[in-house]
Every structure is written in C-alpha cells, then in structure tokens.
Amino acid sequence: MATAAGRTVTREAIAGARAAIAGVAKRTPVLPSLTLSERAGAEVVLKAENLQRTGSFKIRGALNKPAALGDACARGVTAGSAGNHAWAVAQAARVRGVPCEVFMPDGAPIAKAEGCVGLGAVVRYVGDSVDDAVAAARERADEAGMAFVHPFDDPDIVAGQGTLGAELLEDVTDLAKVIVPLGGGGLASGSAMAIKSKRPDVEVVGVQVDTFAPYPESLRRGVPVKVAAALTIADGIAIKSPGELTLPLVREWLDGVVVVPEDDVAEAIVLLMEKAKLVVEGAGAVGVAALLGGQVAPAAHGTTVVVLSGGNIDAGLLATVARRHESEAGRRLVLVSRVPDRPGALAGLLSLVGEAGANLVDVAHVREGVDLHVRETVVQLVLETRSREHAADVLRAVRDAGYEARTLYGASA
Amino acid sequence: MATAAGRTVTREAIAGARAAIAGVAKRTPVLPSLTLSERAGAEVVLKAENLQRTGSFKIRGALNKPAALGDACARGVTAGSAGNHAWAVAQAARVRGVPCEVFMPDGAPIAKAEGCVGLGAVVRYVGDSVDDAVAAARERADEAGMAFVHPFDDPDIVAGQGTLGAELLEDVTDLAKVIVPLGGGGLASGSAMAIKSKRPDVEVVGVQVDTFAPYPESLRRGVPVKVAAALTIADGIAIKSPGELTLPLVREWLDGVVVVPEDDVAEAIVLLMEKAKLVVEGAGAVGVAALLGGQVAPAAHGTTVVVLSGGNIDAGLLATVARRHESEAGRRLVLVSRVPDRPGALAGLLSLVGEAGANLVDVAHVREGVDLHVRETVVQLVLETRSREHAADVLRAVRDAGYEARTLYGASA
C-alpha cells in the first residue's frame, strides 16, 4: 500500500489511500441541484459528503492513517477535534480493532460525541478550543504509547482526504470548478492536488467562514497566522491556524481562498434543507453560501461542484436555524398589541388574526415594565404566517379593526 | 409511446412511462444506511425519492399523464392535492408549456404551495381535505376545458409511479423486500407491479399511518372504505379512501399492508435527519417507522429497500419535531424551582446548573397561580443537557444544594 513519503503528498499516495479506504468509506453521490443551478445561472452539482459514514469526509483520512501506521498503532490511537475527525478516528479504530481515545472542547456538538461513544471510543472534554483538544490528545498518546492522529497536518491524512477529489474526477462529466470548505486545509489541498495534478484546467476554490479565517493572511505572509477563537455555526472548520504542511499545499494547489459571513452560512443550511432535502452542518454549507453570496462565481462552461463536507449538526441547532429562517421569510410574526384588561378582549383580537389566516403559536401577557393604564394589558402574539405579504396583511387587518399593533421583530417590522 | 389501455395498467405502460419521464425526473439514488441496517439486523438501503425533482415521487406520474393525453391537455391541466401531486403537475405543465391550476386544502404545507407558485401555477385554497381539493379541481377542469389529473386513481398515473419500482429492479443487487408508503395507492401498486411482474419472489409491503388507514378494512371488504379526516404529520398520504382502480391493484400486487402510529413517524423523521442526513416528510418516513417499530420485518436474506417517497416538510414543522425529540432524548430539561424573591437568589441557582454543565436556554418567573410565600418566587428554567443521565445529574446537583426542584416535563420527570 502506497503511503506518503516524509512530509510530502503524492498522487501515488492518494491512489494508495483509495485502496485503504475502500469498503469502509462510501463513494458518496454527486447530486444535481436545480435550485442552485437556477440561482447561479450555471450547472451546479453537490458532492453529498454529508452522506458519508460518520457524517463527514474525515473518515477518508482517518482510515488511511492507521493503514499507513500499521503495527505502530497497535496500542491504540488518540485524536483531538471539534468532533468529526474524532468520530472518524473512532470508526477507523473500530475497523482496525484498536483502542481509541478522543478529546473534544467543552460544548462540542452532542451528536458528534455520541457518535464516538457509540463506536466504543473514550470521549474526554478538555478546554474550549480544538487546539486544546489536539494538545491533550498528543500528550495522551505520548504518555500511553498510542498513535496520535492529527486532524489535518499529516501527509497520510491529506492523501486520505484527497480521495474525494479523485472521485470527482471520475464522477463529474465536464468538471470545471470545485468549491470546497477550508478549515485546516486537508480536504481542500488533498482534493485540489488529486484533481489538478491530472486536470490543471479545473479551478479549485477554498471557502472559510469570517469567524475563523486565518488562510488569506497566512497565504499573504507565507507563514501560518493565528486568529482568535470565536463562536461559529461552522464548528467543523473552526481552526485558528493553517498547518505547516497544509499551508504550502493550499498555496500550491488552490486557485483561491474566499471568506463568507457567518449569517450566510445559516441561510445556506436552511436552503439545503428546504430545497436539496439534505442535512448539512455549518462547515459543510460554506460552499453554498459562497456561491449564493457571489464570493465565488460558477464556471461559465462546464460543471461546478460544491462539496458538502459534513452533516453532523445537532437537531436543536437545526431547529434554531430553521426557526430563525421562518421569521426572516415572513412565516413568523410577533405582534405586540394593547387590549383592555377585561373578559373577552383577547378573544376578539385572536378571532381577528384567525380570520386573517394566521395561526396562533404563542400568547403572553406583558403587564410589567410597560407604560399602561391600569385597565389595559399588553399582549404579545407569536403567529405563523404564509409569507411577508401575508404577515403584512395580518398586521393591517388588526390595525384596521382599531387595535394598536406593533411588531417585535419579524416580517413586517 | 405506450400508454395504459382503459382501466388497466400493464408492464408495457410502465416501460412507456420511463421513456416519458426521462430527462425531467431524476433517477434518485439508492443509499446504504448503516444505522438502519444495524437496528434491523439486516441489509437495509434507502430509495431517496425525497431528492426527486419537486421533492417527491409524484413527478413520475405527473409527467406521464400529459404525455398520454397529448393534445387533450392543450388548454391546461388542473389538480387537487395536499401539495406534492399539485407541485408535480405544475412542473409537468411547465415542461409541456400549458397552463396549470392547482387546488389545495387550507393549511397545506407552505413549502408545497410555494413550489407551485414558483413554477407559474395558479394556487387556490379550498375546503379542509384533499377530497375537497380534488373535487374542486375536477369541477374547474370541466368548466374550463382543461384536463383533470387525478393524484392516484388513473392508470397513467399508476404507470408513472411504477417507474420507481422499475429502477429498484435495476439498481438494487439482491433485491428481496420493498417497504413503501401507501396513501392513495398509486406508488405502492405501480411499483409492486413493476417489480413483481418480473421478480415475483420480491416482497412488497405498503405502510399507512394510523390517522389515515382505510386500506386494511377496504382490502378485507373488497370495496373502498372511507375513514374520517384527522390531523396527521404524514399529510402526503392523508387519503380517506382507496381508489376504484388502485384498491384491486394493491390487493393483487402487494404482499401486505401495515399501519404505524403517528408518533413513530415523527421519530422516524428525526432519525433520518440525524443519522441519514436526509430531510424526509412524514409520509415519506412511514417505511422507516414500520421497520423500527417491527410492523415489517426486514428480509432475512438479500436487501430490504425502504422508499423515502418525499421530502417536502416545512422548516417550522421540522423544527418542532426536532425540538420534541431533543426533550425526549434528555437534551432539554425544564426545571421548576422555588427561590427567595431577593437579589442574587436566581444567580445562585444559575451558577449551580452552569457548573453542572447545563446550558441555560430560557428562564421565566412564575408568580401567579402558584402557592407561594410573599417573599418567594417560582422560576422555570429551560436547560440544554447532553443526555438523560446528564439531565438527572443536573437535577441531583440542584437538589443536593438545597433547592426544591421539579421537572415540568423532559428527561428525568
């Protein structure tokens, strides 16, 4: 089996990785997207790596590393990550039949931790960043004679992730451009190398999220620059600094790196859910955000691939994102009104909004901290509406009937 | 192009339908599911028809019908449905370049209505059931000289839906069993016919939801029996009565019909979202519910296919389902406690739950309708926890510190 020699990654190493991961990693489908193609005005397809085993591309590198290590990982493996890499290493350890300990920052997504536990790995929470988790995993490996598996800055990992690019070469007819999430740089550089070493005409662009975007400055300076930790919905690419190995690879093989705003990532998650019917995590949705936001133009001729690198998002976060979207799309209207504090007064208002076609989700009385006559009360209604226009109609109907009505936030504020 | 002759459906008609839908309908992927295979203890794959154009299998029949009608639909088409069929007919009309009017019951999912509007169809809301919508569509067609397209009780529609079964024959090696949602019966009977006329050894089982399950009694009596309208999460199969055409076809071609409880459908939606990373609507998830609930056993040998028939679910409903699941999985704990009504009292309680690793989502004071000392207040905390065990730990920590604590609902009630 071919492995990467020293600190370089070769085409042969990627070919070897394909053999090493076969049978365990899935060859994920490339799905056409009518919605994205129409919005972008070009042929756009999705590499649905969110459907990968353990829910992200990380399984590719994680399977390749123990194969390269051989007996050197007989006493087990350790990994530190926000979750996807840890989960993938846990899966790889199980396949190989060796012990596994993974380290995650406090507050790592529950689904990812559960995935590791389900595969028999020991999960430890440590610190509040991926860097802390990586440091703890490295220390534990040294102490216990286990093999430490870095999430990206390792030639066997990069070669493993590169197998995704190799699949695109074979599965996408008329491949012209690839938009790929960029965190540590393993997936982006490995895939770019796999593609461009055979088809230098194909463009590969990496996408970072503005809350964690060390690459543009690092590329300018030529050395890894470190950014501060921040909260992000794209936890899977929340890496403070490029790797010593991956930075030069990204510089050599990628055609460009762009940055998208955090808010656009949330909208991309909802669009993928509503239109493409795919559950994609924040890190996996940055490519769609870049395409819709115009940071990356689709190829004028040929097919543009957006890589959806993972799908491990907690149901609770997905619910929050969906709810926020509902408000923004005018499907939630929070209406604040003043009604007389007597029997039947609220009933009148509720009948009115019901007749206007709005569905009542929640009602609350507000009697404190507002300037009120003693015989009045403020009510706050949360209503389900069909669209911004419908929300505006509901508001108009309430006002036309003589109620004072304000919106707290929502469609027609 | 072969069309169904009279009131029968033939294998030739299904072959003709494949030609009629090619190029517009997608050949949706068959995806392996490790989670379902492990839970079922057998090889289980998913026919991801939620990834179909317009979000459901309905496009197959909807494209076949105008092809069969030819010039008879030159003045346009009408359709009545809860949404998926309407959306599909709108798409088919657009492809053919004829006008389209669709009728939906009040309260039909917003995503489906939006889909129709986006394709240039006129959408009308009428009555509160699919039957009302179908009647209105038929009336409108008569009045305007348009062609009425029935959602299931039509041989061209059944032949069109049967193309899904034909794809399974080709795409699933070792096909042994197919679990398919059963509403009107078009998809189930058409697919069963396509499969079993070539491979009579393959078992095909239809799945209804308990809120709309006229098939078992109709099959017993041999005539379509009508059930009452009810609320259901599986609106796509909320059909009160089998068709005159489809009932005998279901009797002839299916090996059995089972019924799953409404609540299990919600859990199946969440499982598909969390584990398979697919957005599937209620009607599309009943097969998974039947497999997990044991109403249908997987094939002992060979591959069992679960058909995910559609993915058109509003983001708001998905959010509600996900939230409910979070509570049931112990990821939400609603804790009600009594604290002294003085500065700092709540802060003490919040520090305690924070140290126990619970994340505060919401806090509310309850001062009315509860039996309280004048210097006390009741607070209600909504907390995010990691698991049922973790929720129990948090509750214990609060009680050990001397606070009275009850759960309103949630993990450790």
PDB file of all heavy atoms in Angstrom, chain A residues 24-43:
ATOM      1  N   VAL A  24     -14.987   0.593   3.387  1.00  0.00           N
ATOM      2  CA  VAL A  24     -15.484   1.203   4.636  1.00  0.00           C
ATOM      3  C   VAL A  24     -16.050   2.594   4.343  1.00  0.00           C
ATOM      4  O   VAL A  24     -17.195   2.889   4.665  1.00  0.00           O
ATOM      5  CB  VAL A  24     -14.385   1.268   5.720  1.00  0.00           C
ATOM      6  CG1 VAL A  24     -14.940   1.904   6.989  1.00  0.00           C
ATOM      7  CG2 VAL A  24     -13.867  -0.132   6.023  1.00  0.00           C
ATOM      8  N   ALA A  25     -15.251   3.453   3.717  1.00  0.00           N
ATOM      9  CA  ALA A  25     -15.784   4.761   3.313  1.00  0.00           C
ATOM     10  C   ALA A  25     -16.729   4.555   2.124  1.00  0.00           C
ATOM     11  O   ALA A  25     -16.539   3.641   1.327  1.00  0.00           O
ATOM     12  CB  ALA A  25     -14.649   5.699   2.932  1.00  0.00           C
ATOM     13  N   LYS A  26     -17.767   5.379   2.053  1.00  0.00           N
ATOM     14  CA  LYS A  26     -18.677   5.305   0.908  1.00  0.00           C
ATOM     15  C   LYS A  26     -18.152   6.167  -0.234  1.00  0.00           C
ATOM     16  O   LYS A  26     -17.480   7.174   0.000  1.00  0.00           O
ATOM     17  CB  LYS A  26     -20.060   5.872   1.280  1.00  0.00           C
ATOM     18  CG  LYS A  26     -20.808   5.088   2.317  1.00  0.00           C
ATOM     19  CD  LYS A  26     -22.160   5.771   2.578  1.00  0.00           C
ATOM     20  CE  LYS A  26     -22.846   5.186   3.802  1.00  0.00           C
ATOM     21  NZ  LYS A  26     -24.035   5.955   4.214  1.00  0.00           N
ATOM     22  N   ARG A  27     -18.493   5.777  -1.442  1.00  0.00           N
ATOM     23  CA  ARG A  27     -18.304   6.686  -2.567  1.00  0.00           C
ATOM     24  C   ARG A  27     -19.592   7.505  -2.609  1.00  0.00           C
ATOM     25  O   ARG A  27     -20.620   7.061  -3.133  1.00  0.00           O
ATOM     26  CB  ARG A  27     -18.126   5.886  -3.846  1.00  0.00           C
ATOM     27  CG  ARG A  27     -17.834   6.767  -5.039  1.00  0.00           C
ATOM     28  CD  ARG A  27     -17.409   5.917  -6.223  1.00  0.00           C
ATOM     29  NE  ARG A  27     -16.937   6.738  -7.312  1.00  0.00           N
ATOM     30  CZ  ARG A  27     -15.924   6.393  -8.103  1.00  0.00           C
ATOM     31  NH1 ARG A  27     -15.294   5.257  -7.900  1.00  0.00           N
ATOM     32  NH2 ARG A  27     -15.546   7.183  -9.085  1.00  0.00           N
ATOM     33  N   THR A  28     -19.556   8.703  -2.066  1.00  0.00           N
ATOM     34  CA  THR A  28     -20.791   9.479  -1.899  1.00  0.00           C
ATOM     35  C   THR A  28     -21.305  10.002  -3.244  1.00  0.00           C
ATOM     36  O   THR A  28     -20.528  10.256  -4.158  1.00  0.00           O
ATOM     37  CB  THR A  28     -20.569  10.660  -0.936  1.00  0.00           C
ATOM     38  OG1 THR A  28     -19.414  11.371  -1.371  1.00  0.00           O
ATOM     39  CG2 THR A  28     -20.368  10.169   0.484  1.00  0.00           C
ATOM     40  N   PRO A  29     -22.633  10.150  -3.350  1.00  0.00           N
ATOM     41  CA  PRO A  29     -23.188  10.535  -4.652  1.00  0.00           C
ATOM     42  C   PRO A  29     -22.963  12.014  -4.998  1.00  0.00           C
ATOM     43  O   PRO A  29     -22.800  12.850  -4.121  1.00  0.00           O
ATOM     44  CB  PRO A  29     -24.689  10.260  -4.487  1.00  0.00           C
ATOM     45  CG  PRO A  29     -24.957  10.306  -3.026  1.00  0.00           C
ATOM     46  CD  PRO A  29     -23.687   9.875  -2.350  1.00  0.00           C
ATOM     47  N   VAL A  30     -22.946  12.279  -6.276  1.00  0.00           N
ATOM     48  CA  VAL A  30     -22.956  13.655  -6.787  1.00  0.00           C
ATOM     49  C   VAL A  30     -24.388  13.932  -7.223  1.00  0.00           C
ATOM     50  O   VAL A  30     -24.926  13.227  -8.080  1.00  0.00           O
ATOM     51  CB  VAL A  30     -21.988  13.802  -7.981  1.00  0.00           C
ATOM     52  CG1 VAL A  30     -22.142  15.180  -8.618  1.00  0.00           C
ATOM     53  CG2 VAL A  30     -20.554  13.568  -7.531  1.00  0.00           C
ATOM     54  N   LEU A  31     -25.031  14.918  -6.598  1.00  0.00           N
ATOM     55  CA  LEU A  31     -26.451  15.164  -6.834  1.00  0.00           C
ATOM     56  C   LEU A  31     -26.663  16.472  -7.589  1.00  0.00           C
ATOM     57  O   LEU A  31     -26.114  17.508  -7.195  1.00  0.00           O
ATOM     58  CB  LEU A  31     -27.200  15.227  -5.497  1.00  0.00           C
ATOM     59  CG  LEU A  31     -27.046  14.004  -4.579  1.00  0.00           C
ATOM     60  CD1 LEU A  31     -27.620  14.300  -3.195  1.00  0.00           C
ATOM     61  CD2 LEU A  31     -27.733  12.794  -5.197  1.00  0.00           C
ATOM     62  N   PRO A  32     -27.449  16.450  -8.653  1.00  0.00           N
ATOM     63  CA  PRO A  32     -27.753  17.702  -9.342  1.00  0.00           C
ATOM     64  C   PRO A  32     -28.603  18.594  -8.440  1.00  0.00           C
ATOM     65  O   PRO A  32     -29.363  18.099  -7.613  1.00  0.00           O
ATOM     66  CB  PRO A  32     -28.552  17.252 -10.562  1.00  0.00           C
ATOM     67  CG  PRO A  32     -29.064  15.890 -10.239  1.00  0.00           C
ATOM     68  CD  PRO A  32     -28.133  15.284  -9.234  1.00  0.00           C
ATOM     69  N   SER A  33     -28.463  19.901  -8.556  1.00  0.00           N
ATOM     70  CA  SER A  33     -29.315  20.811  -7.790  1.00  0.00           C
ATOM     71  C   SER A  33     -29.918  21.847  -8.728  1.00  0.00           C
ATOM     72  O   SER A  33     -29.235  22.755  -9.193  1.00  0.00           O
ATOM     73  CB  SER A  33     -28.523  21.526  -6.689  1.00  0.00           C
ATOM     74  OG  SER A  33     -29.346  22.545  -6.119  1.00  0.00           O
ATOM     75  N   LEU A  34     -31.215  21.675  -8.977  1.00  0.00           N
ATOM     76  CA  LEU A  34     -31.919  22.586  -9.859  1.00  0.00           C
ATOM     77  C   LEU A  34     -31.956  23.987  -9.264  1.00  0.00           C
ATOM     78  O   LEU A  34     -31.724  24.990  -9.946  1.00  0.00           O
ATOM     79  CB  LEU A  34     -33.352  22.067 -10.047  1.00  0.00           C
ATOM     80  CG  LEU A  34     -34.044  22.486 -11.321  1.00  0.00           C
ATOM     81  CD1 LEU A  34     -33.326  21.905 -12.520  1.00  0.00           C
ATOM     82  CD2 LEU A  34     -35.493  22.024 -11.296  1.00  0.00           C
ATOM     83  N   THR A  35     -32.236  24.048  -7.955  1.00  0.00           N
ATOM     84  CA  THR A  35     -32.342  25.343  -7.281  1.00  0.00           C
ATOM     85  C   THR A  35     -31.036  26.126  -7.376  1.00  0.00           C
ATOM     86  O   THR A  35     -31.028  27.296  -7.762  1.00  0.00           O
ATOM     87  CB  THR A  35     -32.709  25.139  -5.800  1.00  0.00           C
ATOM     88  OG1 THR A  35     -33.928  24.402  -5.730  1.00  0.00           O
ATOM     89  CG2 THR A  35     -32.890  26.476  -5.091  1.00  0.00           C
ATOM     90  N   LEU A  36     -29.927  25.469  -7.043  1.00  0.00           N
ATOM     91  CA  LEU A  36     -28.647  26.173  -7.090  1.00  0.00           C
ATOM     92  C   LEU A  36     -28.241  26.497  -8.524  1.00  0.00           C
ATOM     93  O   LEU A  36     -27.673  27.557  -8.790  1.00  0.00           O
ATOM     94  CB  LEU A  36     -27.557  25.352  -6.409  1.00  0.00           C
ATOM     95  CG  LEU A  36     -27.572  25.412  -4.886  1.00  0.00           C
ATOM     96  CD1 LEU A  36     -26.514  24.480  -4.307  1.00  0.00           C
ATOM     97  CD2 LEU A  36     -27.325  26.843  -4.404  1.00  0.00           C
ATOM     98  N   SER A  37     -28.542  25.587  -9.449  1.00  0.00           N
ATOM     99  CA  SER A  37     -28.197  25.848 -10.846  1.00  0.00           C
ATOM    100  C   SER A  37     -28.957  27.064 -11.352  1.00  0.00           C
ATOM    101  O   SER A  37     -28.403  27.928 -12.029  1.00  0.00           O
ATOM    102  CB  SER A  37     -28.527  24.623 -11.710  1.00  0.00           C
ATOM    103  OG  SER A  37     -27.739  23.520 -11.324  1.00  0.00           O
ATOM    104  N   GLU A  38     -30.247  27.146 -10.995  1.00  0.00           N
ATOM    105  CA  GLU A  38     -31.049  28.294 -11.427  1.00  0.00           C
ATOM    106  C   GLU A  38     -30.540  29.587 -10.804  1.00  0.00           C
ATOM    107  O   GLU A  38     -30.389  30.599 -11.474  1.00  0.00           O
ATOM    108  CB  GLU A  38     -32.520  28.075 -11.071  1.00  0.00           C
ATOM    109  CG  GLU A  38     -33.249  27.263 -12.128  1.00  0.00           C
ATOM    110  CD  GLU A  38     -34.696  26.953 -11.752  1.00  0.00           C
ATOM    111  OE1 GLU A  38     -35.170  27.465 -10.721  1.00  0.00           O
ATOM    112  OE2 GLU A  38     -35.335  26.186 -12.496  1.00  0.00           O
ATOM    113  N   ARG A  39     -30.263  29.550  -9.489  1.00  0.00           N
ATOM    114  CA  ARG A  39     -29.797  30.769  -8.827  1.00  0.00           C
ATOM    115  C   ARG A  39     -28.439  31.222  -9.338  1.00  0.00           C
ATOM    116  O   ARG A  39     -28.171  32.410  -9.436  1.00  0.00           O
ATOM    117  CB  ARG A  39     -29.709  30.544  -7.321  1.00  0.00           C
ATOM    118  CG  ARG A  39     -31.067  30.315  -6.715  1.00  0.00           C
ATOM    119  CD  ARG A  39     -31.220  31.089  -5.431  1.00  0.00           C
ATOM    120  NE  ARG A  39     -32.414  30.662  -4.740  1.00  0.00           N
ATOM    121  CZ  ARG A  39     -32.630  30.812  -3.460  1.00  0.00           C
ATOM    122  NH1 ARG A  39     -31.712  31.401  -2.711  1.00  0.00           N
ATOM    123  NH2 ARG A  39     -33.747  30.418  -2.893  1.00  0.00           N
ATOM    124  N   ALA A  40     -27.568  30.236  -9.642  1.00  0.00           N
ATOM    125  CA  ALA A  40     -26.216  30.589 -10.074  1.00  0.00           C
ATOM    126  C   ALA A  40     -26.159  30.845 -11.577  1.00  0.00           C
ATOM    127  O   ALA A  40     -25.202  31.426 -12.075  1.00  0.00           O
ATOM    128  CB  ALA A  40     -25.242  29.473  -9.696  1.00  0.00           C
ATOM    129  N   GLY A  41     -27.191  30.398 -12.287  1.00  0.00           N
ATOM    130  CA  GLY A  41     -27.182  30.565 -13.737  1.00  0.00           C
ATOM    131  C   GLY A  41     -26.139  29.697 -14.417  1.00  0.00           C
ATOM    132  O   GLY A  41     -25.572  30.073 -15.444  1.00  0.00           O
ATOM    133  N   ALA A  42     -25.890  28.544 -13.842  1.00  0.00           N
ATOM    134  CA  ALA A  42     -24.875  27.639 -14.394  1.00  0.00           C
ATOM    135  C   ALA A  42     -25.152  26.239 -13.864  1.00  0.00           C
ATOM    136  O   ALA A  42     -25.956  26.066 -12.956  1.00  0.00           O
ATOM    137  CB  ALA A  42     -23.478  28.088 -13.979  1.00  0.00           C
ATOM    138  N   GLU A  43     -24.475  25.253 -14.428  1.00  0.00           N
ATOM    139  CA  GLU A  43     -24.667  23.870 -13.998  1.00  0.00           C
ATOM    140  C   GLU A  43     -23.943  23.636 -12.666  1.00  0.00           C
ATOM    141  O   GLU A  43     -22.723  23.680 -12.603  1.00  0.00           O
ATOM    142  CB  GLU A  43     -24.126  22.930 -15.089  1.00  0.00           C
ATOM    143  CG  GLU A  43     -24.291  21.461 -14.818  1.00  0.00           C
ATOM    144  CD  GLU A  43     -25.748  20.998 -14.856  1.00  0.00           C
ATOM    145  OE1 GLU A  43     -26.588  21.760 -15.367  1.00  0.00           O
ATOM    146  OE2 GLU A  43     -26.033  19.908 -14.349  1.00  0.00           O
TER     147      GLU A  43
END
